[in-house]
Amino acid sequence: MSGAQAENVLPLSAYLPFWQKISASEQSKLLAAARQRTFHNGDVLSSGRNECTGLFVVCSGQLRAFILSENGKELTLYRLLPRDICLMSASCMLHSLQFDIQIEALEETVVYQIPTEAYKSIMEQSAAVANYTNELMASRFSEVVWLMDQVLNHRLDSRLAALLLEEKDLAGSDTLVCTHEQLGNHLGSAREVVTRMLRYFQEEKLVRLTRGKIEITNEKGLEALAGESLR
């Protein structure tokens, strides 16, 4: 972990909204159990419901939750940014979860890892933690339902336009450093299809393509194309 990242990591209490609503002994239990870890771009934190790795509290960086089809196609369900909590990596305490969700780092990412048993034991005794967990789960499934509607009912060009704008906001720049394969993995589409679509965008002067980079040249045009695919 770099020095700058270490300085930016706050105490665990700063990342848990329910902290002031649990007892001192429960706070001590979480502090004793939690471990700070650093993952690098491409590292897999959790590979499905059979691997119960605990909760990840994102301090810096970016994670993504995705599903993998039998033929190897990926589809990003949602991303996790600083102060987000990854609950799906503790899938063994979610008895109704019937599909595998994988979690990977999209860049160097610092997290607090809380073992499932430690969190579960507190959740079973604290209404505040149980309520927060239920709200978080409902929010994540809402995102998944929204995504399924996008995949089933919206054209790929509008979804790609929305994704480019999302990447722009995350990067804070009009120039995106990403590959066509990475975009395809987010969208659940083949790299070749994304490449053809990006070339069409370039012909329409919405973007400019160079090796490993995509420059957004017409943000308003992408917004119009994205339409209801924008979050």
Side-chain angles (χ1 to χ4, degrees), residues 121-175:
S121 66
I122 294 173
M123 183 181 70
E124 290 174 343
Q125 297 187 21
S126 169
V129 177
N131 289 339
Y132 173 77
T133 304
N134 290 334
E135 290 172 2
L136 183 60
M137 180 60 64
S139 174
R140 294 295 178 229
F141 275 112
S142 177
E143 291 182 66
V144 172
V145 170
W146 181 88
L147 176 65
M148 292 302 104
D149 174 69
Q150 290 291 311
V151 172
L152 293 172
N153 299 315
H154 294 261
R155 289 160 48 107
L156 182 62
D157 57 353
S158 67
R159 294 174 55 222
L160 177 57
L163 176 60
L164 293 176
L165 293 171
E166 182 180 343
E167 293 287 338
K168 173 186 179 298
D169 289 342
L170 289 171
S173 171
D174 289 331
T175 301

Side-chain angles (χ1 to χ4, degrees), residues 90-207:
S91 57
C92 57
M93 73 177 187
L94 307 173
H95 302 299
S96 60
L97 189 64
Q98 297 298 318
F99 54 97
D100 286 329
I101 296 177
Q102 303 197 44
I103 312 294
E104 77 165 348
L106 292 178
E107 57 187 75
E108 186 168 320
T109 302
V110 181
V111 303
Y112 282 112
Q113 183 176 6
I114 303 175
T116 304
E117 285 305 315
Y119 187 88
K120 184 179 179 181
S121 66
I122 294 173
M123 183 181 70
E124 290 174 343
Q125 297 187 21
S126 169
V129 177
N131 289 339
Y132 173 77
T133 304
N134 290 334
E135 290 172 2
L136 183 60
M137 180 60 64
S139 174
R140 294 295 178 229
F141 275 112
S142 177
E143 291 182 66
V144 172
V145 170
W146 181 88
L147 176 65
M148 292 302 104
D149 174 69
Q150 290 291 311
V151 172
L152 293 172
N153 299 315
H154 294 261
R155 289 160 48 107
L156 182 62
D157 57 353
S158 67
R159 294 174 55 222
L160 177 57
L163 176 60
L164 293 176
L165 293 171
E166 182 180 343
E167 293 287 338
K168 173 186 179 298
D169 289 342
L170 289 171
S173 171
D174 289 331
T175 301
L176 312 179
V177 181
C178 59
T179 67
H180 299 185
E181 182 176 7
Q182 289 170 331
L183 294 174
N185 288 342
H186 282 310
L187 295 169
S189 181
R191 176 186 58 80
E192 295 79 6
V193 176
V194 171
T195 296
R196 287 197 298 270
M197 196 69 67
L198 286 171
R199 287 174 179 167
Y200 167 72
F201 284 7
Q202 181 168 248
E203 291 172 2
E204 294 297 308
K205 303 189 184 309
L206 299 173
V207 302

